[in-house]
Amino acid sequence: MSAFSLDKFEITVGRMRAFVTSVDGNVRGHPPAEGAGEHPRIPGSGWRSEWNDMLPTDMADVNELLGPGCVAGGDPNEGGAPTWRTTPSENDKKPANCASWFLLFAFCIWDGGRLPTEAEFQAAALGGSEQRTNAWADSVLGGNALAYENGEKLVAAFLSPEGAGPGAFGMYTVGTPMRDVDPTTHMADDGDAHIAQVGVHPAGNGRWGHADLNGNLYELVLDESRPVDVTTGLPAGDVCNDCANVDWPKLTETDPAIVPFTVDDGADPVVVADIASWSKYYVGGARIIHGGSWSHAGSITNDQSHQNVVRFKYPVMRTYEAVGARCARDL
């Protein structure tokens, strides 16, 4: 990889608010220019005008898309956890979730950057040549497994208590240890309590000071997904210089290589309950998401053998309470 800069923090609600309010929510009417946000060494990696229709048209549209309209996680009273608020609040310091790949890409362009490639994000998470097991130095845990007691100061996540055996209930490293549940509906109703404000776990920062690389939200990157070698856990054709897979299908096309997740792939059983409808979200392909999130146990690692929860394809037209992004910048 050539030199680049990666933002220290995930895109926050406050930064997203500044973006959408600058055009009164009509991002579609003020879209990125054709080719904007292109990686300087990857032709064809910039914005495509066909994506303009995927952007919001006014603040009511924004409020719907980032709130109740979030495909997975829009209703806080039914286990959802959108961080967006219609007016400025303390949540402006939390990462923006429920945003589409298109809106995140448009934000980064507006902010003077671009989405990072998979290789760029992974380089930061691994600490480059150090090839860290987690974003923080391997010495931090002294060889011990990451659990609730030690993970609490390192990452925003859903983890098992220290010494807990198989099947033990997980606990959260932010907010109350267990989710609040409505006694009548039996649904979690504490919203985004377990999503941290960005940067609250500096002990878990990466080698170069990047926060929340292995937790809080999964992060979308530029690349379209590629087949994975089952032996190495790495994407096929993984040896290259300054490259990314940007052979994106058109929005009207369904990528034939994409197969929807199943519970056996490591996906949340609740999330895949609507599995029959997932194919429609793969129209236009899938993008790679990296890192762990607040809502999943066992994903807070850089170990590529955990490909289904660390690095995996995600439907490009599906928004999710546990997915966000950060921007990269050219040097």
Side-chain angles (χ1 to χ4, degrees):
M1 283 177 298
S2 298
F4 69 101
S5 173
L6 185 68
D7 285 1
K8 178 176 182 177
F9 301 118
E10 297 163 326
I11 299 167
T12 61
V13 169
R15 291 172 66 200
M16 182 63 71
R17 187 184 309 283
F19 169 46
V20 295
T21 56
S22 72
V23 292
D24 294 325
N26 187 15
V27 185
R28 189 183 305 179
H30 302 81
E34 181 79 16
E38 182 176 83
H39 189 293
R41 299 171 188 85
I42 306 175
S45 61
W47 185 263
R48 300 183 182 184
S49 58
E50 66 182 276
W51 298 335
N52 293 354
D53 288 345
M54 303 303 294
L55 300 172
T57 58
D58 55 29
M59 285 307 298
D61 202 7
V62 170
N63 292 333
E64 172 66 20
L65 291 171
L66 298 181
C70 184
V71 174
D75 189 344
N77 295 315
E78 293 188 357
T83 54
W84 179 258
R85 299 293 184 270
T86 57
T87 58
S89 70
E90 278 296 297
N91 265 40
D92 280 11
K93 301 174 185 177
K94 291 191 175 188
N97 60 11
C98 291
S100 70
W101 182 88
F102 306 101
L103 185 59
L104 293 165
F105 194 3
F107 167 86
C108 286
I109 294 170
W110 172 84
D111 203 43
R114 55 177 174 79
L115 283 175
T117 66
E118 177 189 20
E120 288 170 337
F121 183 93
Q122 191 71 343
L126 290 168
S129 60
E130 292 186 7
Q131 296 291 288
R132 296 178 172 186
T133 304
N134 302 101
W136 49 88
D138 291 343
S139 60
V140 169
L141 295 176
N144 296 319
L146 180 66
Y148 182 77
E149 281 79 357
N150 50 48
E152 188 173 10
K153 296 181 179 180
L154 294 170
V155 66
F158 180 64
L159 301 170
S160 296
E162 188 78 63
F169 286 105
M171 303 176 75
Y172 292 94
T173 58
V174 177
T176 54
M178 299 301 296
R179 298 204 71 176
D180 293 334
V181 177
D182 184 288
T184 302
T185 64
H186 305 292
M187 298 293 294
D189 60 2
D190 55 354
D192 63 342
H194 309 296
I195 302 177
Q197 295 182 359
V198 298
V200 301
H201 292 299
N205 286 0
R207 179 180 177 182
W208 296 287
H210 298 99
D212 307 317
L213 288 168
N214 280 151
N216 225 12
L217 296 184
Y218 289 120
E219 298 187 34
L220 280 157
V221 296
L222 181 71
D223 305 48
E224 187 191 1
S225 61
R226 289 169 283 168
V228 172
D229 185 316
V230 296
T231 302
T232 65
L234 295 171
D238 204 45
V239 179
C240 56
N241 296 321
D242 287 320
C243 64
N245 183 20
V246 296
D247 189 22
W248 298 302
K250 293 184 179 297
L251 288 177
T252 54
E253 297 174 342
T254 300
D255 189 336
I258 300 301
V259 178
F261 301 129
T262 68
V263 175
D264 290 340
D265 290 326
D268 186 331
V270 175
V271 171
V272 299
D274 62 342
I275 193 73
S277 67
W278 271 45
S279 58
K280 68 181 181 182
Y281 297 112
Y282 283 100
V283 173
R287 302 296 186 266
I288 295 166
I289 59 176
H290 258 290
S293 80
W294 65 275
S295 65
H296 291 88
S299 65
I300 315 299
T301 175
N302 294 325
D303 184 353
Q304 287 293 306
S305 66
H306 290 72
Q307 49 149 317
N308 288 318
V309 289
V310 179
R311 172 210 175 271
F312 58 88
K313 56 189 179 290
Y314 197 77
V316 74
M317 296 173 70
R318 190 175 195 272
T319 53
Y320 184 31
E321 63 186 348
V323 170
R326 77 182 72 208
C327 306
R329 299 167 198 279
D330 302 320
L331 296 177

